[in-house]
Amino acid sequence: MRYFTKQQGQKEAVPVDLEALGGDRYKLTVNGVTYQVDALALEHGTMSMLVDGQSYSAEFEESGDEVGVLLRGQVSRFDVADERRLRLRAGTAAFSVEGKQLVTAPMPGKVVKVLVKVGDEVKEGQGLVVVEAMKMENELKSPKAGKVTELFAKEGTTVENNAKLVIVE
């Protein structure tokens, strides 16, 4: 099956083809490069994978068309759409972030630094808040250029998964 993924801050979607080979084996082609993947789903959205002989442990969290991935201590967010969904979007809207955007905590953790204040103008990809989770600091970035209209994050506080942190309009 073909998907199109766009990492937060990227301009264009990347084609991803996923083919089940039987059992826990897959052929994954990302932007024309093919990988052999053995994947074993563990509990709580964690997956143990062998990708071309390299071992990885990744945590996945889905929220609509968005998938959060924790890999090697770094959280990345991806917008994922299959070909049908992409065609539907093209008929109704651009493949970009528009309107009021809520930035949430990707997992439970502690707010260690707030990099903006209400009224600040921010660029797409600019850091907004740093959250420490699983002993790693993750800088959460603005999904669009705009203005910080609400700020829920406070340094030193703990946050739950999907807790509201910042709104950018």
Side-chain angles (χ1 to χ4, degrees), residues 101-139:
Q101 295 297 308
L102 173 64
V103 177
T104 61
M107 62 187 57
K110 180 179 178 181
V111 176
V112 293
K113 190 155 186 133
V114 177
L115 305 170
V116 294
K117 61 186 181 304
V118 172
D120 283 357
E121 292 289 333
V122 294
K123 297 177 184 171
E124 182 176 340
Q126 179 178 334
L128 302 172
V129 178
V130 178
V131 176
E132 181 183 283
M134 300 179 67
K135 298 181 184 177
M136 295 298 299
E137 289 188 0
N138 301 290
E139 184 178 74

Side-chain angles (χ1 to χ4, degrees), residues 10 14 48 104 108 123 127 132 139-140 144 152:
Q10 279 184 327
V14 173
S48 176
T104 61
K123 297 177 184 171
E132 181 183 283
E139 184 178 74
L140 305 179
K144 64 176 265 179
F152 305 98

Side-chain angles (χ1 to χ4, degrees), residues 1-164:
M1 169 159 272
R2 174 164 274 194
Y3 296 93
F4 293 88
T5 65
K6 186 169 111 173
Q7 187 172 2
Q8 208 171 40
Q10 279 184 327
K11 299 282 185 211
E12 294 189 29
V14 173
V16 175
D17 293 304
L18 182 63
E19 180 184 340
L21 300 175
D24 296 328
R25 298 184 60 235
Y26 301 88
K27 182 169 105 174
L28 178 69
T29 304
V30 180
N31 215 12
V33 180
T34 301
Y35 303 93
Q36 297 299 317
V37 179
D38 289 300
L40 177 63
L42 304 173
E43 54 187 47
H44 307 298
T46 302
M47 186 160 293
S48 176
M49 299 180 293
L50 280 175
V51 180
D52 288 342
Q54 294 275 5
S55 178
Y56 298 92
S57 178
E59 291 185 31
F60 296 89
E61 179 183 87
E62 293 182 47
S63 178
D65 289 342
E66 187 175 271
V67 177
V69 180
L70 174 65
L71 181 66
R72 293 186 173 171
Q74 180 69 36
V75 175
S76 299
R77 293 207 165 280
F78 296 89
D79 182 49
V80 179
D82 61 18
E83 289 181 279
R84 178 181 171 274
R85 182 85 168 149
L86 195 59
R87 282 193 304 272
L88 285 171
R89 285 181 181 173
T92 60
F95 198 79
S96 64
V97 178
E98 296 178 4
K100 184 188 318 189
Q101 295 297 308
L102 173 64
V103 177
T104 61
M107 62 187 57
K110 180 179 178 181
V111 176
V112 293
K113 190 155 186 133
V114 177
L115 305 170
V116 294
K117 61 186 181 304
V118 172
D120 283 357
E121 292 289 333
V122 294
K123 297 177 184 171
E124 182 176 340
Q126 179 178 334
L128 302 172
V129 178
V130 178
V131 176
E132 181 183 283
M134 300 179 67
K135 298 181 184 177
M136 295 298 299
E137 289 188 0
N138 301 290
E139 184 178 74
L140 305 179
K141 301 177 190 261
S142 180
K144 64 176 265 179
K147 185 177 188 177
V148 175
T149 57
E150 292 185 64
L151 183 61
F152 305 98
K154 291 183 176 53
E155 287 185 21
T157 60
T158 57
V159 291
E160 294 298 318
N161 186 35
N162 289 323
K164 293 178 181 180

